[in-house]
Amino acid sequence: MTGARRRTPPGRAGRLRLRHSLDVAVRGADLLEQKLRILRSRHQRLLRAEEAAARAWRELLAEAEVWLLRGLLLGGEGALGSAAAGLGHAEVTIHWTVSMGVRHPASVATSVPARPPTAAAPSNTALVHAEAVYARAVRAAAEYAAAHAAAELVGAEVLSTRHRVRALRRHWIPRLRETLDQADLALEQAEHEDSVRRRWAAGTTER
């Protein structure tokens, strides 16, 4: 606030500027607190969505690994290599949104290519089940990754906004009020001294 005092002109003009700065700071803190409440609510929903997505992904992954193990026991590693030959890569498309100025993933679209006609079919039923469940697990993993990223991005904005509110409420606004009080006192003192000088000058003139 030392710099603010140096930039503040003396007298009523300086007091008006300080009052305006204080009003702006208070309104800004109010708006940031409103934003913080909305962000916190949004963040809690995203955390719950992340937790559910993580649970779904882990459950599908565990199920897929069980079927894979069964398939390996039935057909060996060679059967797995044959079943995987010729398969394409999954593609993930992320759809974004903005919440209170924060850009974050809203949803994902996952495309897992079907087995091409030229690829050899799995040699046993367990590998067929494993392939199907792994496809679902890939989709669940993409959804979990998007949910995790969204929760992290919004959570970071919650922390940033909370720090800004704290800085305004605990530091900037009290300092502005202190400076404004000092300006009021200085203005009152100056007006009192000016009044005394006018009365003294009027008395001297009459004499």
Side-chain angles (χ1 to χ4, degrees):
M1 286 300 300
T2 302
R5 290 195 187 101
R6 285 199 299 266
R7 291 190 299 270
T8 302
R12 294 186 179 277
R15 184 187 180 281
L16 288 174
R17 180 177 296 184
L18 284 170
R19 169 55 63 184
H20 176 71
S21 297
L22 178 58
D23 291 342
V24 169
V26 171
R27 285 198 302 271
D30 291 341
L31 290 174
L32 283 174
E33 285 178 341
Q34 181 180 359
K35 175 183 177 180
L36 184 58
R37 287 193 295 271
I38 296 172
L39 281 173
R40 280 174 171 165
S41 176
R42 177 63 173 161
H43 188 226
Q44 289 301 315
R45 292 197 299 272
L46 290 172
L47 288 174
R48 289 193 293 270
E50 179 190 5
E51 182 180 354
R55 185 168 55 251
W57 170 59
R58 294 189 182 103
E59 290 174 355
L60 284 169
L61 183 61
E63 181 183 353
E65 289 175 345
V66 169
W67 284 114
L68 177 61
L69 179 59
R70 291 176 182 174
L72 290 174
L73 291 175
L74 290 171
E77 293 186 3
L80 176 61
S82 299
L87 296 182
H89 297 289
E91 295 183 357
V92 177
T93 302
I94 302 174
H95 302 287
W96 296 80
T97 189
V98 177
S99 298
M100 299 300 293
V102 185
R103 187 172 182 265
H104 62 84
S107 62
V108 293
T110 308
S111 174
V112 179
R115 177 177 293 277
T118 56
S123 60
N124 58 67
T125 305
L127 287 179
V128 173
H129 285 301
E131 181 179 336
V133 180
Y134 268 117
R136 292 162 56 199
V138 167
R139 295 186 179 94
E143 291 173 359
Y144 167 57
H148 176 71
E152 277 205 334
L153 290 169
V154 174
E157 186 65 19
V158 167
L159 290 176
S160 174
T161 304
R162 186 167 62 201
H163 289 158
R164 291 164 65 191
V165 170
R166 187 174 299 171
L168 283 170
R169 294 295 190 195
R170 296 187 179 181
H171 302 289
W172 187 243
I173 290 176
R175 290 175 183 176
L176 280 172
R177 283 178 174 152
E178 179 185 357
T179 305
L180 181 60
D181 289 342
Q182 293 173 356
D184 285 339
L185 182 61
L187 182 60
E188 181 181 349
Q189 183 176 352
E191 289 177 345
H192 175 71
E193 292 174 352
D194 186 57
S195 175
V196 169
R197 283 194 298 270
R198 284 198 303 270
R199 288 197 300 269
W200 181 83
T204 302
T205 301
E206 290 175 358
R207 288 196 299 268

